Structure formats: structure tokens, C-alpha cells
Amino acid sequence: QLRATVRTTHERIYFEPLLETIAGTGHLSVEAAEERLSAFGFRDAPRARTALRQLASGLTRRSRLMQELLPALLGWLSETPDPDLGLLQLQRLTEGPARSAAVAHRFRESAIAAERTCRLVGSSRLAGDALLRQPDFLAELGDDAQLRTRTRDELVDEATGALEWRVLDTDARREGLRRFKRRHLLRIASRDLLGLADTDEVQRELSWLADAAVQAALTTLVRVARSEEREAPPFAVIGMGRLGGEELSYASDIDVMF
């Protein structure tokens, strides 16, 4: 309770006057507003001011929601490794009326999702790009159960299920497998960046994700062969190197033997 009171007071003293000035109704000069942004880690203050104006502009309900939320969002962004990057990526997430309204309502419903989004976009450009491609993931950020570690068997079952209805369409199978990988890669990276998983756990689950993709691909090929009344030969894929040792990193290729 005390922490929430201090944060609210901090936002009212430091960020609300700043946002009022950017909106053209505050008492701070432009120079003072930019100085305040710089004090909170925004290195490109003019660009940050422009981004804030775009986020809070307009008289719609969505705009009013964003104006209410921005003091808290700025506070969270100021605590990230790169507040400028975070603010620009947050702006990209809210481009367009429909997307902006969806993000504003999601943040209003879940302060945890809003804070975690700020921490991700202020920490990684790749995470911001992934959120832009998968905006529905914002809802999962507020739910620890959705972010939890999946077992290898759970990942295999989900990957195989994602391809079941795509058995006879090669392009659809590939896209389905890519979607599966991107969704879980974002979840794993989020756990990592948010401090919800240690390095060993991240490497292990990245390896399980690769295992699941390979297993689903093989299972689907067997089904294709059976649908064409062909016998699928016995076949195995052996994980080598970092995959075999369950030590994959985000940049790792999978080293396998067929």
C-alpha cells in the first residue's frame, strides 16, 4: 500500500505536468519538459516528446485512457535498460485506432500486463517486434499460468495438434509450425527478460521447443505417407551439440543427424 502511494505521488509530481505540457496545457516550458525526460533516462528527449504527443493525442475514449495510463507507463519505461527504445516500441504497438484501443483497454484491465509490456519493449527490440506480430500475447503477460514453463510432452502435443488439420497442405504445415515456434519463443523470452526463469531453465525449454518442432514435422510426414497409402520407413532424428545437451540459446541453429 505504501509503495503504491509513493508511486502515485511520484507520477503526479513528475509525469503529469510533463504530459500536460506536451498536450499544450501545462505550465512547463518545452525545455523543462525535455530536461525532465532526460532526467528519467530518455536520451533523445525531442523524439520522446513527439512519441508521447502521438500516444496521448485526440479526444476519443481511447486517447483519454492512454492519457490516464501514460504516467505509470513512463515510470515503468524509465526503469528499463533503454527507455527511448521502449517508448518508440510502445508507440508502434498502439498504431492505428483499433490496435490502440485494444492495447489501452488491456492495460487498463491488467496493470501487471502493462508493466511487463513496458519492461519487455524497453529491454529488447526483438521482443518488441514479436509483440507487434502477436498482439494477443499482451493478455497472457498478465497471467503467470500462461507464462509458465511447458514440459517437452506438452510442447510436442501442441505442435502436433497445430498441424493435424494442415496435413495435406505443405505451405500451411510450414506456417503452422512457424506460428507455434514464434508464440512459444516469445513466451520463453518474456519469462527470461522478466526474471521468471533462470538460464538453465531457458536453455532447456528452448531445446524442448526445437524437439517439439522436429517431432511434429516427423509425425505429420508419417500421416501424409499413410494418407497416400505409402509405408513410412523407420526414421530418427538425433539431437547433437547444444540441442543434444539441452543448452540451446536464442541464436542457436539445431545440430541434428538424420
Side-chain angles (χ1 to χ4, degrees):
Q1 180 65 34
L2 179 59
R3 181 177 296 179
T5 302
V6 171
R7 176 175 287 281
T8 300
T9 304
H10 176 272
E11 292 166 358
R12 186 172 65 250
I13 293 174
Y14 288 97
F15 290 123
E16 287 187 7
L18 170 64
L19 295 172
E20 290 169 357
T21 296
I22 289 172
T25 59
H27 63 275
L28 296 175
S29 66
V30 172
E31 293 76 14
E34 292 185 354
E35 183 178 348
R36 189 163 292 195
L37 283 169
S38 297
F40 283 92
F42 293 91
R43 294 186 296 274
D44 191 344
R47 191 175 184 183
R49 182 163 53 85
T50 301
L52 285 171
R53 185 182 295 115
Q54 292 177 359
L55 281 168
S57 63
L59 299 173
T60 63
R61 186 167 183 269
R62 184 276 308 170
S63 300
R64 291 196 296 273
L65 274 177
M66 287 304 296
Q67 290 163 13
E68 292 175 10
L69 292 168
L70 271 173
L73 299 178
L74 279 174
W76 291 322
L77 287 171
S78 70
E79 297 170 358
T80 65
D82 193 337
D84 292 276
L85 173 65
L87 182 56
L88 291 175
Q89 295 205 113
L90 187 62
Q91 180 191 345
R92 290 178 64 205
L93 279 177
T94 59
E95 285 178 345
R99 186 190 291 267
S100 181
V103 171
H105 285 291
R106 173 56 55 194
F107 285 0
R108 181 74 176 271
E109 292 170 1
S110 174
I112 295 176
E115 180 179 0
R116 287 176 172 176
T117 299
C118 289
R119 289 173 62 185
L120 290 178
V121 297
S123 300
S124 168
R125 187 179 301 277
L126 291 178
D129 289 341
L131 283 172
L132 189 63
R133 290 194 301 268
Q134 304 172 68
D136 291 346
F137 188 75
L138 292 179
E140 299 183 23
L141 278 173
D143 186 349
D144 286 352
Q146 293 291 336
L147 292 178
R148 68 174 177 82
T149 297
R150 304 298 198 269
T151 66
R152 183 188 182 281
D153 288 343
E154 285 177 313
L155 290 169
V156 169
D157 288 345
E158 184 177 337
T160 304
L163 301 188
E164 280 182 342
W165 63 273
R166 300 178 170 97
V167 167
L168 300 180
D169 188 331
T170 301
D171 291 338
R173 289 202 307 270
R174 289 173 178 165
E175 182 55 30
L177 207 53
R178 289 190 188 103
R179 287 177 182 272
F180 163 78
K181 177 190 172 184
R182 287 196 295 261
R183 183 170 63 254
H184 284 288
L185 194 59
L186 177 55
R187 176 183 56 79
I188 295 168
S190 297
R191 286 179 56 78
D192 190 0
L193 289 167
L194 296 171
L196 302 176
D198 61 26
T199 301
D200 289 343
E201 185 178 345
V202 169
Q203 291 180 331
R204 187 163 54 246
E205 196 171 2
L206 287 172
S207 302
W208 290 345
L209 180 60
D211 278 349
V214 172
Q215 180 67 57
L218 285 178
T219 300
T220 304
L221 288 175
V222 170
R223 289 175 178 168
V224 170
R226 288 174 178 169
S227 71
E228 297 174 352
E229 298 184 348
R230 292 186 289 110
E231 186 66 28
F235 198 80
V237 179
I238 310 301
M240 310 293 286
R242 298 188 70 171
L243 174 60
E246 294 189 342
E247 297 175 335
L248 282 190
S249 69
Y250 298 106
S252 296
D253 294 322
I254 58 172
D255 185 9
V256 297
M257 181 180 296
F258 296 97

